[in-house]
Amino acid sequence: MHCSYFDAAACRSCTQMGVPYAEQLAGKQRHCETLLAPHTELEWLLPVGSQESGFRNKAKMVVGGTAQNPTIGILDADGQGVDLRECGVCSPGLLACFPVLAGFISQARLTPYDVPQRRGELKHIIITESPDGEVMLRLVLRSEQLLPRIRKHLPSLLAALPQVKVVSVNLHPEHKAVLEGDREILLTEQSTLRMRVNGLDLHLRPQSFFQTNTPMAAALYRQGREWVDELDPASVWDLYCGVGGFALHCAGPGRDVTGIETSREAIVSAKLSSSEAGLERVRFQAGDATAFALGADRSPELVIVNPPRRGIGKELCGWLESSDVQHVVYSSCNAQSLARDLAALPSFTARRARVLDMFPQTMHYEVMVLLERAG
């Protein structure tokens, strides 16, 4: 993949840009195999590659410049806006939205937030596209000051971009390097973006997490389902379940599935998907994964974990060690924390692993490991 922004040193976010894709994928496989080398009984499945460009279903863009001439992209070292509205890793559907959004910013006179000066209002645009081409748009503001202008001009934006189905404003009043705040104001009647994955309808609400590469997310869930169905456990926990991707894919006759996630928004979405699919033995609960496990009366036969980059940590590893859990499916976006966690699980043997390239043009990837209790 060629990127003019990278060549001009305007953006270096994609650190592997220009490296042949086959070489990128092989390098990620070698990196993961090296980190998990102590697990000598591990069977490595073939890595799953992604399309090289246009794969991102979500863009988190900083708004810079002025209301009359906004930039949509990132900030440079001096805090000035760098326009990346033709970024090649974003899906064509997202790219089609950026020029219209720039016009909307100018029309509604939405003053971009000036980071060095700590003034202005519009900080970020967060935009997500579903497999059906529908779009969720979130505008991150410092305050409610611009809300009347946004409401006034929103009909013209929706007329220009009819694929935009969900629009919200996120309030982020603090001056710190965090993408968004806690408060969300919904501006459309529709509140969720339908994400059709492997024949299942997942629902994404404004503050819910979803993988940024939809085909790779589908492959991830299919792999998890394949391993779970092969083992056929009667009970499964999906910890850090998000909007319920693994839990919903692993539902089956005679199987009780429980999903746990700290985000209440994500749990609302997961319950909606479960209800629509008529899955009576799948339940979701908002809460901390480790606290849920420690407070449970009994253990399931199989646990799925899909934690953030820090991994599951010593406390949950300790619970798994002392539990009756027979198998763990571990989906990790950080093989280093995965390696630390596996070292803290000596009662389990890593049987199979697979690298899935969720993030082409970068050093990041997803890896799934199937663990079996030794003996």
Side-chain angles (χ1 to χ4, degrees):
M1 175 185 167
H2 174 263
C3 176
S4 59
Y5 297 124
F6 186 87
D7 292 345
C11 175
R12 290 299 175 92
S13 299
C14 295
T15 57
Q16 294 293 289
M17 188 64 68
V19 177
Y21 184 65
E23 188 176 328
Q24 291 184 37
L25 189 59
K28 293 177 182 185
Q29 180 73 23
R30 286 194 303 271
H31 180 260
C32 196
E33 288 183 4
T34 300
L35 286 172
L36 302 189
H39 303 279
T40 55
E41 298 183 45
L42 193 54
E43 173 194 357
W44 285 95
L45 306 181
L46 289 175
V48 182
S50 168
Q51 63 187 63
E52 297 180 44
S53 62
F55 58 85
R56 282 195 68 98
N57 61 28
K58 183 176 185 177
K60 306 171 184 178
M61 307 297 260
V62 181
V63 181
T66 64
Q68 293 73 32
N69 187 26
T71 61
I72 298 176
I74 60 174
L75 299 181
D76 64 17
D78 297 322
Q80 302 303 307
V82 177
D83 198 273
L84 301 177
R85 68 182 74 176
E86 295 181 5
C87 174
V89 299
C90 292
S91 72
L94 295 184
L95 295 181
C97 293
F98 293 144
V100 181
L101 292 174
F104 172 71
I105 292 169
S106 298
Q107 180 188 35
R109 305 191 314 280
L110 306 181
T111 310
Y113 183 67
D114 187 318
V115 172
Q117 299 296 323
R118 300 194 179 193
R119 65 188 181 198
E121 288 292 323
L122 179 58
K123 294 184 173 184
H124 304 108
I125 287 174
I126 306 174
I127 182 169
T128 307
E129 184 184 27
S130 77
D132 295 328
E134 296 184 341
V135 170
M136 174 188 292
L137 170 65
R138 302 174 64 209
L139 304 170
V140 181
L141 304 177
R142 186 170 68 161
S143 73
E144 296 185 48
Q145 179 182 326
L146 296 181
L147 258 178
R149 294 185 199 171
I150 292 172
R151 292 184 188 276
K152 176 183 177 181
H153 293 281
L154 184 58
S156 63
L157 175 65
L158 298 179
L161 292 174
Q163 65 269 42
V164 175
K165 302 300 181 181
V166 182
V167 181
S168 67
V169 161
N170 177 272
L171 296 180
H172 180 21
E174 297 177 276
H175 179 86
K176 61 181 182 180
V178 176
L179 184 67
E180 61 189 76
D182 296 328
R183 187 180 170 200
E184 200 85 17
I185 302 173
L186 190 65
L187 301 182
T188 51
E189 182 177 349
Q190 186 170 324
S191 61
T192 67
L193 188 67
R194 190 181 298 269
M195 306 291 287
R196 301 182 192 272
V197 181
N198 298 325
L200 277 170
D201 284 351
L202 306 181
H203 292 273
L204 186 62
R205 294 173 68 84
Q207 291 183 302
S208 300
F209 169 79
F210 190 80
Q211 300 283 3
T212 57
N213 187 328
T214 305
M216 286 297 99
L220 195 74
Y221 296 142
R222 287 195 302 270
Q223 184 63 77
R225 178 172 61 193
E226 180 182 322
W227 285 346
V228 171
D229 284 349
E230 178 184 330
L231 295 167
D232 196 23
S235 53
V236 174
W237 288 357
D238 178 8
L239 304 181
Y240 313 93
C241 71
V243 296
F246 279 115
L248 294 164
H249 276 79
C250 294
R255 183 179 299 157
D256 293 316
V257 181
T258 300
I260 304 297
E261 167 62 44
T262 56
S263 169
R264 295 186 179 278
E265 288 247 312
I267 290 299
V268 171
S269 299
K271 287 180 176 179
L272 176 59
S273 296
S274 179
S275 175
E276 286 183 346
L279 302 175
E280 296 181 355
R281 299 185 68 166
V282 178
R283 72 182 187 96
F284 293 97
Q285 179 180 323
D288 176 78
T290 301
F292 173 82
L294 293 175
D297 294 332
R298 63 182 64 181
S299 307
E301 293 181 18
L302 183 146
V303 170
I304 301 169
V305 292
N306 184 23
R309 289 190 61 79
R310 65 177 180 271
I312 65 174
K314 291 182 179 180
E315 200 169 12
L316 186 52
C317 284
W319 177 84
L320 283 167
E321 277 289 292
S322 63
S323 73
D324 296 325
V325 173
Q326 295 301 302
H327 293 91
V328 176
V329 175
Y330 195 134
S331 180
S332 170
C333 61
N334 182 0
Q336 291 179 319
S337 61
L338 168 65
R340 288 197 302 268
D341 287 340
L342 295 188
L345 293 169
S347 296
F348 289 86
T349 300
R351 292 297 187 189
R352 299 180 203 159
R354 188 166 219 169
V355 167
L356 299 98
D357 194 10
M358 193 74 68
F359 315 100
Q361 315 305 335
T362 76
M363 292 296 293
H364 300 296
Y365 56 87
E366 195 89 10
V367 56
M368 293 186 69
V369 179
L370 175 61
L371 306 176
E372 179 181 67
R373 188 172 291 279

